[in-house]
Structure formats: structure tokens, C-alpha cells
Amino acid sequence: GAGVSQSPSNKVTEKGKDVELRCDPISGHTALYWYRQSLGQGLEFLIYFQGNSAPDKSGLPSDRFSAERTGGSVSTLTIQRTQQEDSAVYLCASSPQQYQETQYFGPGTRLLVL
Amino acid sequence: GENVEQHPSTLSVQEGDSAVIKCTYSDSASNYFPWYKQELGKRPQLIIDIRSNVGEKKDQRIAVTLNKTAKHFSLHITETQPEDSAVYFCAASIRGNTGKLIFGQGTTLQVKP
């Protein structure tokens, strides 16, 4: 079946502009996660959804970052007033439930803020 | 806060040799430990995982061991092949049953033919 998909695959933007990153999880997966991966670094947790609720937003770096999920499926990560330090690969993952479940990753969106 | 330390950061081995990557975690409530392989420009993919009620798990050339007392776990790859070359990440779940994972910084494995 189809895996996790993300769009766009690449995004170049100017400092100060807003960007929206989209994640389509595997059908039927109730848990969805956003991570950020800076060059040569590990994966940094941003936010987690169970259904449409976000019980854990602890990883969002600042109030410029927000995310939503609708219909228990598609999720959008929005970064307002982008800064150069926001440049990274943003990865989305989904899992059937949440606890001790394999997380399946999307291909990521590579964001470059000029 | 919760933390996962991973060593070494880079590892170079000859084809056919074994490779070992070690991780330590800080949250004593962690009970799920997956390992991901990430090839250049691609998404992380799960290669093996272990849960806290198991001390060792093996899948062909890959094995993972867990020592809950010492709070560390290791990935063992035997008979390495050039296609094993990639970045490997360990991760540990945190308390609260959210499924949230804390990742190590990654190990770049190079297998020389």
C-alpha cells in the first residue's frame, strides 16, 4: 500500500515568509509525528497527534511553529516568519496507534530559508 | 530532560567484519527501543526494535541487545556488506505512552569493499 507522503519535497523561501508543509499518513494510522532533522544531526521531535488532537507539542521550537490535523488524516506544519535557522529537513511519521508501535517515515520536506 | 547518547559518531569497517553501535538513555521508564537506517537523501527505515521485556533480538545479520539496569542498548551487524553503509539512529520511548521517541545523534557506518 501507499506509504507516508509529504509535500513539497523541496521548498526554498525568503526569510520572513510563511511556509506550509503537508503530510499524508498511511491510511488508518491514528498517530502522527513531526520531526526536524538539521544537517548531519539526529531527529528532533516537534509535535505528536493522536487523531486530531495534539497531546504533546513540547518540541515546537517557538510560537512561529504550529500544526494541525484534520479528519484524522492529513497534517499541516506551518512556520510563520521563517528564519534561516529553520532550514532543515522536516520529517513526518505515522503509526497504527501510539504505544510501542513502529513509526513509518515520509520522505521529508527539505526547507531552505534564504 | 530525556536524552539518548549514541556512539561512535562514525564507524568504518571492512566488508565481512562486524559493527557495533551503542546507545545509552536517561529515562528509566523507556520501554521501546527501535533502530533506524537512513541512506543518503532517503527516509529513515526501521531495521529492528526491542521492547523492555526482552534482552536480545536477532534478525538475520542484525541483532539488538538491551540492558535495562545499565540503561543501554546496542546494535550488532555481522558479516557487513557495502549496502549496509548508511547512517544508523537509535531511539528510546519516553514515559507517558505517547509513542514519542528521543533519537540519538546517529552513527555513519562505512563498509569498505
Side-chain angles (χ1 to χ4, degrees):
Chain A
V4 178
S5 62
Q6 293 184 245
S7 61
S9 54
N10 291 281
K11 177 71 176 179
V12 181
T13 190
E14 293 180 348
K15 178 181 173 181
K17 295 286 181 68
D18 297 351
V19 295
E20 283 190 354
L21 313 180
R22 176 187 168 108
C23 172
D24 283 87
I26 294 172
S27 178
H29 281 195
T30 60
L32 186 148
Y33 305 82
W34 283 98
Y35 295 91
R36 180 169 71 175
Q37 185 174 31
S38 301
L39 188 63
Q41 298 296 308
L43 281 73
E44 174 191 5
F45 170 83
L46 297 178
I47 188 170
Y48 145 73
F49 287 92
Q50 180 60 30
N52 292 334
S53 304
D56 191 341
K57 305 179 183 180
S58 62
L60 295 178
S62 75
D63 59 8
R64 297 186 295 105
F65 287 72
S66 63
E68 64 175 12
R69 189 179 185 193
T70 55
S73 181
V74 172
S75 177
T76 303
L77 177 69
T78 301
I79 309 174
Q80 295 179 310
R81 305 181 301 282
T82 52
Q83 304 294 311
Q84 289 183 334
E85 60 262 30
D86 298 335
S87 297
V89 176
Y90 290 82
L91 289 159
C92 171
S94 70
S95 68
Q97 294 181 46
Q98 59 189 41
Y99 182 58
Q100 293 192 358
E101 290 280 358
T102 299
Q103 294 185 21
Y104 298 86
F105 281 85
T109 293
R110 188 175 301 275
L111 175 65
L112 178 61
V113 182
L114 301 177
Chain B
E2 301 91 1
N3 187 47
V4 174
E5 297 281 342
Q6 182 172 347
H7 300 281
S9 57
T10 60
L11 180 59
S12 181
V13 300
Q14 289 295 136
E15 182 177 359
D17 288 349
S18 295
V20 180
I21 303 170
K22 299 182 179 181
C23 291
T24 58
Y25 59 96
S26 59
D27 185 355
S28 58
S30 294
N31 52 20
Y32 175 60
F33 308 91
W35 285 88
Y36 284 85
K37 175 184 180 181
Q38 187 176 30
E39 297 177 7
L40 189 63
K42 297 191 175 181
R43 72 189 75 189
Q45 293 199 309
L46 181 78
I47 54 171
I48 195 166
D49 58 12
I50 191 166
R51 291 167 172 79
S52 60
N53 57 344
V54 176
E56 183 174 358
K57 184 177 179 180
K58 189 173 182 179
D59 182 4
Q60 298 183 341
R61 298 185 297 108
I62 295 173
V64 57
T65 58
L66 171 65
N67 183 329
K68 286 220 76 180
T69 302
K71 291 193 284 188
H72 66 70
F73 56 113
S74 300
L75 178 71
H76 304 254
I77 307 175
T78 59
E79 301 172 23
T80 53
Q81 301 167 3
E83 52 265 37
D84 294 331
S85 297
V87 179
Y88 291 81
F89 293 98
C90 64
S93 64
I94 65 159
R95 67 184 71 230
N97 295 349
T98 65
K100 176 180 174 180
L101 298 175
I102 302 298
F103 282 80
Q105 291 300 299
T107 295
T108 301
L109 173 65
Q110 181 186 29
V111 180
K112 299 178 181 177

